[in-house]
mmCIF file of all heavy atoms in Angstrom:
data_model
loop_
_atom_site.group_PDB
_atom_site.id
_atom_site.type_symbol
_atom_site.label_atom_id
_atom_site.label_comp_id
_atom_site.label_asym_id
_atom_site.label_seq_id
_atom_site.Cartn_x
_atom_site.Cartn_y
_atom_site.Cartn_z
ATOM 1 N N PHE A 235 96.508 85.713 70.468
ATOM 2 C CA PHE A 235 97.921 85.678 70.107
ATOM 3 C C PHE A 235 98.275 84.434 69.061
ATOM 4 O O PHE A 235 99.306 83.853 69.044
ATOM 5 C CB PHE A 235 98.812 85.500 71.211
ATOM 6 C CG PHE A 235 98.744 86.664 72.188
ATOM 7 C CD1 PHE A 235 97.947 86.425 73.462
ATOM 8 C CD2 PHE A 235 99.111 87.905 71.903
ATOM 9 C CE1 PHE A 235 97.750 87.498 74.381
ATOM 10 C CE2 PHE A 235 98.986 88.933 72.820
ATOM 11 C CZ PHE A 235 98.269 88.774 74.067
ATOM 12 N N ASN A 236 97.082 83.973 68.278
ATOM 13 C CA ASN A 236 97.220 82.771 67.498
ATOM 14 C C ASN A 236 97.304 83.226 66.033
ATOM 15 O O ASN A 236 96.466 83.837 65.482
ATOM 16 C CB ASN A 236 95.987 81.951 67.706
ATOM 17 C CG ASN A 236 96.104 80.657 67.014
ATOM 18 O OD1 ASN A 236 96.853 80.431 66.069
ATOM 19 N ND2 ASN A 236 95.357 79.613 67.474
ATOM 20 N N PRO A 237 98.533 83.084 65.519
ATOM 21 C CA PRO A 237 98.758 83.510 64.080
ATOM 22 C C PRO A 237 97.855 82.734 63.084
ATOM 23 O O PRO A 237 97.681 83.395 61.891
ATOM 24 C CB PRO A 237 100.223 83.120 63.809
ATOM 25 C CG PRO A 237 100.564 82.066 64.892
ATOM 26 C CD PRO A 237 99.773 82.273 65.998
ATOM 27 N N ARG A 238 97.220 81.662 63.406
ATOM 28 C CA ARG A 238 96.158 80.998 62.527
ATOM 29 C C ARG A 238 95.044 82.040 62.150
ATOM 30 O O ARG A 238 94.387 81.951 61.044
ATOM 31 C CB ARG A 238 95.697 79.819 63.162
ATOM 32 C CG ARG A 238 94.636 79.201 62.366
ATOM 33 C CD ARG A 238 94.049 77.897 63.199
ATOM 34 N NE ARG A 238 93.081 77.117 62.219
ATOM 35 C CZ ARG A 238 92.262 76.153 62.744
ATOM 36 N NH1 ARG A 238 92.361 75.794 63.858
ATOM 37 N NH2 ARG A 238 91.547 75.563 61.878
ATOM 38 N N TYR A 239 94.750 82.918 63.031
ATOM 39 C CA TYR A 239 93.622 83.839 62.857
ATOM 40 C C TYR A 239 94.121 85.187 62.327
ATOM 41 O O TYR A 239 93.338 86.116 62.353
ATOM 42 C CB TYR A 239 92.846 83.971 64.010
ATOM 43 C CG TYR A 239 92.262 82.660 64.517
ATOM 44 C CD1 TYR A 239 92.925 81.758 65.426
ATOM 45 C CD2 TYR A 239 91.102 82.107 63.974
ATOM 46 C CE1 TYR A 239 92.359 80.681 65.946
ATOM 47 C CE2 TYR A 239 90.615 80.970 64.294
ATOM 48 C CZ TYR A 239 91.252 80.138 65.262
ATOM 49 O OH TYR A 239 90.819 78.954 65.659
ATOM 50 N N GLY A 240 95.298 85.319 61.872
ATOM 51 C CA GLY A 240 95.822 86.587 61.197
ATOM 52 C C GLY A 240 95.712 87.724 62.130
ATOM 53 O O GLY A 240 96.050 87.722 63.288
ATOM 54 N N ARG A 241 95.344 88.868 61.523
ATOM 55 C CA ARG A 241 95.285 90.022 62.344
ATOM 56 C C ARG A 241 94.284 90.010 63.417
ATOM 57 O O ARG A 241 94.281 90.764 64.448
ATOM 58 C CB ARG A 241 95.001 91.255 61.492
ATOM 59 C CG ARG A 241 93.607 91.327 60.840
ATOM 60 C CD ARG A 241 93.383 92.184 59.638
ATOM 61 N NE ARG A 241 94.214 91.836 58.528
ATOM 62 C CZ ARG A 241 94.301 92.575 57.450
ATOM 63 N NH1 ARG A 241 93.652 93.671 57.295
ATOM 64 N NH2 ARG A 241 94.907 92.069 56.441
ATOM 65 N N LEU A 242 93.328 89.101 63.372
ATOM 66 C CA LEU A 242 92.282 89.013 64.456
ATOM 67 C C LEU A 242 92.992 88.345 65.713
ATOM 68 O O LEU A 242 92.873 88.815 66.816
ATOM 69 C CB LEU A 242 91.100 87.897 64.002
ATOM 70 C CG LEU A 242 90.259 88.443 62.927
ATOM 71 C CD1 LEU A 242 89.359 87.333 62.450
ATOM 72 C CD2 LEU A 242 89.419 89.664 63.403
ATOM 73 N N GLY A 243 93.904 87.317 65.532
ATOM 74 C CA GLY A 243 94.499 86.711 66.547
ATOM 75 C C GLY A 243 95.555 87.428 67.085
ATOM 76 O O GLY A 243 96.044 87.353 68.294
ATOM 77 N N LEU A 244 96.375 88.212 66.267
ATOM 78 C CA LEU A 244 97.592 88.941 66.583
ATOM 79 C C LEU A 244 97.344 90.333 66.986
ATOM 80 O O LEU A 244 98.214 90.886 67.642
ATOM 81 C CB LEU A 244 98.620 88.850 65.492
ATOM 82 C CG LEU A 244 98.963 87.236 65.150
ATOM 83 C CD1 LEU A 244 99.995 87.375 63.991
ATOM 84 C CD2 LEU A 244 99.685 86.706 66.333
ATOM 85 N N VAL A 245 96.185 90.988 66.546
ATOM 86 C CA VAL A 245 96.055 92.397 66.883
ATOM 87 C C VAL A 245 94.644 92.623 67.517
ATOM 88 O O VAL A 245 94.678 93.167 68.703
ATOM 89 C CB VAL A 245 96.062 93.217 65.572
ATOM 90 C CG1 VAL A 245 95.909 94.628 65.927
ATOM 91 C CG2 VAL A 245 97.386 93.062 64.785
ATOM 92 N N ALA A 246 93.628 92.223 66.985
ATOM 93 C CA ALA A 246 92.294 92.601 67.465
ATOM 94 C C ALA A 246 92.061 91.965 68.841
ATOM 95 O O ALA A 246 91.731 92.690 69.890
ATOM 96 C CB ALA A 246 91.208 92.282 66.445
ATOM 97 N N MET A 247 92.160 90.635 68.957
ATOM 98 C CA MET A 247 91.792 89.923 70.160
ATOM 99 C C MET A 247 92.801 90.395 71.353
ATOM 100 O O MET A 247 92.318 90.606 72.397
ATOM 101 C CB MET A 247 91.778 88.505 69.912
ATOM 102 C CG MET A 247 90.699 87.883 69.070
ATOM 103 S SD MET A 247 89.045 88.174 69.862
ATOM 104 C CE MET A 247 89.158 86.623 71.044
ATOM 105 N N PRO A 248 93.997 90.459 71.049
ATOM 106 C CA PRO A 248 94.945 91.009 72.025
ATOM 107 C C PRO A 248 94.579 92.392 72.493
ATOM 108 O O PRO A 248 94.681 92.739 73.668
ATOM 109 C CB PRO A 248 96.317 90.863 71.396
ATOM 110 C CG PRO A 248 96.207 89.794 70.383
ATOM 111 C CD PRO A 248 94.787 90.021 69.890
ATOM 112 N N TYR A 249 94.283 93.221 71.522
ATOM 113 C CA TYR A 249 93.880 94.624 71.905
ATOM 114 C C TYR A 249 92.719 94.660 72.782
ATOM 115 O O TYR A 249 92.667 95.305 73.805
ATOM 116 C CB TYR A 249 93.467 95.449 70.621
ATOM 117 C CG TYR A 249 92.932 96.746 70.979
ATOM 118 C CD1 TYR A 249 93.707 97.881 71.128
ATOM 119 C CD2 TYR A 249 91.584 96.839 71.124
ATOM 120 C CE1 TYR A 249 93.156 99.091 71.418
ATOM 121 C CE2 TYR A 249 91.047 98.123 71.434
ATOM 122 C CZ TYR A 249 91.902 99.275 71.615
ATOM 123 O OH TYR A 249 91.359 100.454 72.000
ATOM 124 N N PHE A 250 91.641 93.927 72.656
ATOM 125 C CA PHE A 250 90.435 93.903 73.338
ATOM 126 C C PHE A 250 90.735 93.392 74.689
ATOM 127 O O PHE A 250 90.160 93.643 75.726
ATOM 128 C CB PHE A 250 89.282 93.159 72.647
ATOM 129 C CG PHE A 250 88.555 93.988 71.712
ATOM 130 C CD1 PHE A 250 88.899 94.128 70.367
ATOM 131 C CD2 PHE A 250 87.518 94.800 72.235
ATOM 132 C CE1 PHE A 250 88.298 94.908 69.586
ATOM 133 C CE2 PHE A 250 86.811 95.652 71.436
ATOM 134 C CZ PHE A 250 87.105 95.716 69.979
ATOM 135 N N PHE A 251 91.805 92.382 74.813
ATOM 136 C CA PHE A 251 92.109 91.721 76.103
ATOM 137 C C PHE A 251 92.939 92.708 76.831
ATOM 138 O O PHE A 251 92.620 92.999 78.063
ATOM 139 C CB PHE A 251 92.844 90.514 75.780
ATOM 140 C CG PHE A 251 93.442 89.924 77.098
ATOM 141 C CD1 PHE A 251 92.715 89.518 78.222
ATOM 142 C CD2 PHE A 251 94.974 89.788 77.161
ATOM 143 C CE1 PHE A 251 93.207 88.990 79.297
ATOM 144 C CE2 PHE A 251 95.452 89.208 78.370
ATOM 145 C CZ PHE A 251 94.654 88.823 79.438
ATOM 146 N N LEU A 252 93.942 93.235 76.307
ATOM 147 C CA LEU A 252 94.914 94.161 77.022
ATOM 148 C C LEU A 252 94.485 95.496 77.204
ATOM 149 O O LEU A 252 94.631 96.180 78.335
ATOM 150 C CB LEU A 252 96.280 94.117 76.268
ATOM 151 C CG LEU A 252 96.982 92.859 76.148
ATOM 152 C CD1 LEU A 252 98.240 93.054 75.336
ATOM 153 C CD2 LEU A 252 97.509 92.419 77.539
ATOM 154 N N PHE A 253 93.690 96.064 76.212
ATOM 155 C CA PHE A 253 93.324 97.563 76.214
ATOM 156 C C PHE A 253 91.903 97.895 76.368
ATOM 157 O O PHE A 253 91.398 99.045 76.502
ATOM 158 C CB PHE A 253 93.933 98.256 75.042
ATOM 159 C CG PHE A 253 95.443 98.204 74.894
ATOM 160 C CD1 PHE A 253 96.037 97.398 73.848
ATOM 161 C CD2 PHE A 253 96.312 98.792 75.813
ATOM 162 C CE1 PHE A 253 97.284 97.390 73.788
ATOM 163 C CE2 PHE A 253 97.595 98.705 75.784
ATOM 164 C CZ PHE A 253 98.141 97.958 74.763
ATOM 165 N N GLU A 254 91.025 96.923 76.473
ATOM 166 C CA GLU A 254 89.629 97.015 76.774
ATOM 167 C C GLU A 254 89.165 96.331 77.973
ATOM 168 O O GLU A 254 88.712 96.963 78.887
ATOM 169 C CB GLU A 254 88.707 96.531 75.649
ATOM 170 C CG GLU A 254 88.806 97.422 74.311
ATOM 171 C CD GLU A 254 88.256 98.850 74.435
ATOM 172 O OE1 GLU A 254 87.412 98.986 75.388
ATOM 173 O OE2 GLU A 254 88.591 99.711 73.587
ATOM 174 N N ALA A 255 89.488 95.053 78.064
ATOM 175 C CA ALA A 255 89.136 94.180 79.249
ATOM 176 C C ALA A 255 89.920 94.640 80.355
ATOM 177 O O ALA A 255 89.358 94.722 81.577
ATOM 178 C CB ALA A 255 89.172 92.849 78.937
ATOM 179 N N LEU A 256 91.240 94.847 80.256
ATOM 180 C CA LEU A 256 92.145 95.225 81.379
ATOM 181 C C LEU A 256 92.230 96.571 81.666
ATOM 182 O O LEU A 256 92.857 96.902 82.757
ATOM 183 C CB LEU A 256 93.501 94.497 81.159
ATOM 184 C CG LEU A 256 93.641 92.950 81.329
ATOM 185 C CD1 LEU A 256 95.059 92.602 81.092
ATOM 186 C CD2 LEU A 256 93.234 92.449 82.711
ATOM 187 N N ALA A 257 91.810 97.416 80.722
ATOM 188 C CA ALA A 257 92.010 98.927 80.939
ATOM 189 C C ALA A 257 91.608 99.531 82.236
ATOM 190 O O ALA A 257 92.176 100.195 82.854
ATOM 191 C CB ALA A 257 91.408 99.589 79.719
ATOM 192 N N PRO A 258 90.323 99.249 82.642
ATOM 193 C CA PRO A 258 89.785 99.737 83.873
ATOM 194 C C PRO A 258 90.617 99.204 85.114
ATOM 195 O O PRO A 258 90.744 99.918 86.146
ATOM 196 C CB PRO A 258 88.325 99.290 84.041
ATOM 197 C CG PRO A 258 88.218 97.955 83.110
ATOM 198 C CD PRO A 258 89.264 98.372 81.989
ATOM 199 N N VAL A 259 91.156 97.903 85.019
ATOM 200 C CA VAL A 259 91.976 97.561 86.123
ATOM 201 C C VAL A 259 93.232 98.451 86.256
ATOM 202 O O VAL A 259 93.680 98.797 87.301
ATOM 203 C CB VAL A 259 92.338 96.089 85.912
ATOM 204 C CG1 VAL A 259 93.291 95.555 86.973
ATOM 205 C CG2 VAL A 259 91.076 95.196 85.957
ATOM 206 N N VAL A 260 93.944 98.569 85.112
ATOM 207 C CA VAL A 260 95.148 99.361 85.121
ATOM 208 C C VAL A 260 94.902 100.836 85.514
ATOM 209 O O VAL A 260 95.630 101.368 86.365
ATOM 210 C CB VAL A 260 95.836 99.306 83.757
ATOM 211 C CG1 VAL A 260 96.984 100.170 83.691
ATOM 212 C CG2 VAL A 260 96.147 97.927 83.448
ATOM 213 N N GLU A 261 93.855 101.410 85.008
ATOM 214 C CA GLU A 261 93.536 102.864 85.259
ATOM 215 C C GLU A 261 93.111 102.981 86.759
ATOM 216 O O GLU A 261 93.704 103.862 87.412
ATOM 217 C CB GLU A 261 92.323 103.289 84.394
ATOM 218 C CG GLU A 261 92.081 104.703 84.677
ATOM 219 C CD GLU A 261 91.105 105.253 83.600
ATOM 220 O OE1 GLU A 261 90.698 104.534 82.579
ATOM 221 O OE2 GLU A 261 90.693 106.474 83.728
ATOM 222 N N VAL A 262 92.252 102.198 87.240
ATOM 223 C CA VAL A 262 91.868 102.275 88.759
ATOM 224 C C VAL A 262 92.984 102.075 89.640
ATOM 225 O O VAL A 262 93.164 102.753 90.575
ATOM 226 C CB VAL A 262 90.622 101.406 88.963
ATOM 227 C CG1 VAL A 262 90.372 101.389 90.501
ATOM 228 C CG2 VAL A 262 89.420 101.807 88.171
ATOM 229 N N LEU A 263 93.796 101.082 89.313
ATOM 230 C CA LEU A 263 95.007 100.809 90.253
ATOM 231 C C LEU A 263 95.988 102.026 90.109
ATOM 232 O O LEU A 263 96.590 102.408 91.047
ATOM 233 C CB LEU A 263 95.642 99.506 89.766
ATOM 234 C CG LEU A 263 94.954 98.261 90.222
ATOM 235 C CD1 LEU A 263 95.681 97.067 89.713
ATOM 236 C CD2 LEU A 263 94.652 98.115 91.654
ATOM 237 N N GLY A 264 95.965 102.566 88.898
ATOM 238 C CA GLY A 264 96.909 103.821 88.759
ATOM 239 C C GLY A 264 96.461 104.824 89.676
ATOM 240 O O GLY A 264 97.318 105.597 90.276
ATOM 241 N N TYR A 265 95.165 105.211 89.686
ATOM 242 C CA TYR A 265 94.614 106.193 90.523
ATOM 243 C C TYR A 265 94.899 105.814 92.107
ATOM 244 O O TYR A 265 95.387 106.620 92.960
ATOM 245 C CB TYR A 265 93.076 106.465 90.406
ATOM 246 C CG TYR A 265 92.760 107.009 89.041
ATOM 247 C CD1 TYR A 265 91.827 106.368 88.234
ATOM 248 C CD2 TYR A 265 93.520 108.157 88.611
ATOM 249 C CE1 TYR A 265 91.411 106.915 87.048
ATOM 250 C CE2 TYR A 265 93.140 108.728 87.264
ATOM 251 C CZ TYR A 265 92.136 108.075 86.504
ATOM 252 O OH TYR A 265 91.923 108.542 85.334
ATOM 253 N N ALA A 266 94.576 104.524 92.435
ATOM 254 C CA ALA A 266 94.703 104.090 93.815
ATOM 255 C C ALA A 266 96.202 104.041 94.375
ATOM 256 O O ALA A 266 96.346 104.323 95.579
ATOM 257 C CB ALA A 266 94.011 102.697 93.905
ATOM 258 N N LEU A 267 97.015 103.875 93.509
ATOM 259 C CA LEU A 267 98.395 103.757 93.986
ATOM 260 C C LEU A 267 99.166 105.072 94.196
ATOM 261 O O LEU A 267 100.229 105.139 94.613
ATOM 262 C CB LEU A 267 99.227 102.806 93.033
ATOM 263 C CG LEU A 267 98.957 101.354 93.109
ATOM 264 C CD1 LEU A 267 99.736 100.666 91.987
ATOM 265 C CD2 LEU A 267 99.328 100.811 94.555
ATOM 266 N N MET A 268 98.501 106.157 93.654
ATOM 267 C CA MET A 268 99.187 107.502 93.816
ATOM 268 C C MET A 268 99.408 107.815 95.259
ATOM 269 O O MET A 268 100.550 108.245 95.645
ATOM 270 C CB MET A 268 98.293 108.555 93.146
ATOM 271 C CG MET A 268 98.532 108.591 91.646
ATOM 272 S SD MET A 268 97.794 110.065 90.788
ATOM 273 C CE MET A 268 98.392 109.818 89.110
ATOM 274 N N PRO A 269 98.457 107.576 96.121
ATOM 275 C CA PRO A 269 98.722 107.816 97.489
ATOM 276 C C PRO A 269 99.794 106.991 98.181
ATOM 277 O O PRO A 269 100.593 107.406 98.984
ATOM 278 C CB PRO A 269 97.373 107.537 98.300
ATOM 279 C CG PRO A 269 96.311 107.780 97.274
ATOM 280 C CD PRO A 269 96.997 107.276 95.930
ATOM 281 N N VAL A 270 99.902 105.747 97.601
ATOM 282 C CA VAL A 270 100.960 104.757 98.085
ATOM 283 C C VAL A 270 102.336 105.373 97.686
ATOM 284 O O VAL A 270 103.281 105.354 98.384
ATOM 285 C CB VAL A 270 100.611 103.307 97.555
ATOM 286 C CG1 VAL A 270 101.792 102.487 97.921
ATOM 287 C CG2 VAL A 270 99.306 102.860 97.971
ATOM 288 N N PHE A 271 102.405 105.819 96.356
ATOM 289 C CA PHE A 271 103.627 106.322 95.926
ATOM 290 C C PHE A 271 104.028 107.556 96.768
ATOM 291 O O PHE A 271 105.237 107.676 97.029
ATOM 292 C CB PHE A 271 103.534 106.815 94.482
ATOM 293 C CG PHE A 271 103.209 105.740 93.444
ATOM 294 C CD1 PHE A 271 102.525 105.854 92.357
ATOM 295 C CD2 PHE A 271 103.688 104.390 93.730
ATOM 296 C CE1 PHE A 271 102.233 104.872 91.407
ATOM 297 C CE2 PHE A 271 103.519 103.281 92.742
ATOM 298 C CZ PHE A 271 102.721 103.523 91.644
ATOM 299 N N TYR A 272 103.109 108.415 97.092
ATOM 300 C CA TYR A 272 103.388 109.518 97.921
ATOM 301 C C TYR A 272 103.881 109.095 99.325
ATOM 302 O O TYR A 272 104.873 109.720 99.765
ATOM 303 C CB TYR A 272 102.122 110.378 97.995
ATOM 304 C CG TYR A 272 102.373 111.668 98.805
ATOM 305 C CD1 TYR A 272 102.857 112.774 98.250
ATOM 306 C CD2 TYR A 272 102.091 111.756 100.223
ATOM 307 C CE1 TYR A 272 103.107 113.998 98.938
ATOM 308 C CE2 TYR A 272 102.147 112.899 100.957
ATOM 309 C CZ TYR A 272 102.621 114.056 100.211
ATOM 310 O OH TYR A 272 102.921 115.188 100.885
ATOM 311 N N PHE A 273 103.184 108.118 99.848
ATOM 312 C CA PHE A 273 103.614 107.630 101.272
ATOM 313 C C PHE A 273 105.111 107.126 101.306
ATOM 314 O O PHE A 273 105.834 107.356 102.181
ATOM 315 C CB PHE A 273 102.571 106.560 101.647
ATOM 316 C CG PHE A 273 102.996 105.979 103.011
ATOM 317 C CD1 PHE A 273 102.653 106.664 104.210
ATOM 318 C CD2 PHE A 273 103.632 104.696 103.149
ATOM 319 C CE1 PHE A 273 102.920 106.106 105.419
ATOM 320 C CE2 PHE A 273 103.984 104.179 104.440
ATOM 321 C CZ PHE A 273 103.551 104.910 105.543
ATOM 322 N N PHE A 274 105.460 106.391 100.148
ATOM 323 C CA PHE A 274 106.920 105.879 100.180
ATOM 324 C C PHE A 274 107.836 106.886 99.493
ATOM 325 O O PHE A 274 109.049 106.454 99.330
ATOM 326 C CB PHE A 274 106.835 104.616 99.410
ATOM 327 C CG PHE A 274 106.265 103.387 100.217
ATOM 328 C CD1 PHE A 274 104.961 102.846 99.915
ATOM 329 C CD2 PHE A 274 106.962 102.708 101.144
ATOM 330 C CE1 PHE A 274 104.379 101.848 100.580
ATOM 331 C CE2 PHE A 274 106.433 101.611 101.758
ATOM 332 C CZ PHE A 274 105.119 101.244 101.602
ATOM 333 N N GLY A 275 107.422 108.019 99.316
ATOM 334 C CA GLY A 275 108.328 108.992 98.747
ATOM 335 C C GLY A 275 108.706 108.780 97.246
ATOM 336 O O GLY A 275 109.636 109.393 96.738
ATOM 337 N N LEU A 276 107.806 107.979 96.549
ATOM 338 C CA LEU A 276 108.031 107.796 95.031
ATOM 339 C C LEU A 276 107.276 108.601 94.168
ATOM 340 O O LEU A 276 107.433 108.503 92.989
ATOM 341 C CB LEU A 276 107.757 106.212 94.760
ATOM 342 C CG LEU A 276 108.700 105.179 95.380
ATOM 343 C CD1 LEU A 276 108.092 103.969 95.130
ATOM 344 C CD2 LEU A 276 110.020 105.375 94.860
ATOM 345 N N PHE A 277 106.378 109.385 94.878
ATOM 346 C CA PHE A 277 105.585 110.256 94.035
ATOM 347 C C PHE A 277 106.345 111.441 93.449
ATOM 348 O O PHE A 277 107.076 112.013 94.102
ATOM 349 C CB PHE A 277 104.354 110.814 94.935
ATOM 350 C CG PHE A 277 103.378 111.575 94.035
ATOM 351 C CD1 PHE A 277 102.412 110.994 93.418
ATOM 352 C CD2 PHE A 277 103.573 112.986 94.009
ATOM 353 C CE1 PHE A 277 101.485 111.795 92.759
ATOM 354 C CE2 PHE A 277 102.638 113.783 93.231
ATOM 355 C CZ PHE A 277 101.613 113.233 92.619
#
């Protein structure tokens, strides 16, 4: 998120952080929370 590095700092590095490094965390938690949503009537 550093504008000094142009599109690398503002696009590429944030993408790899948010959508590559964190992607499995978000996806796995998404699968795991489905039963929780069902239990609380939010599914």
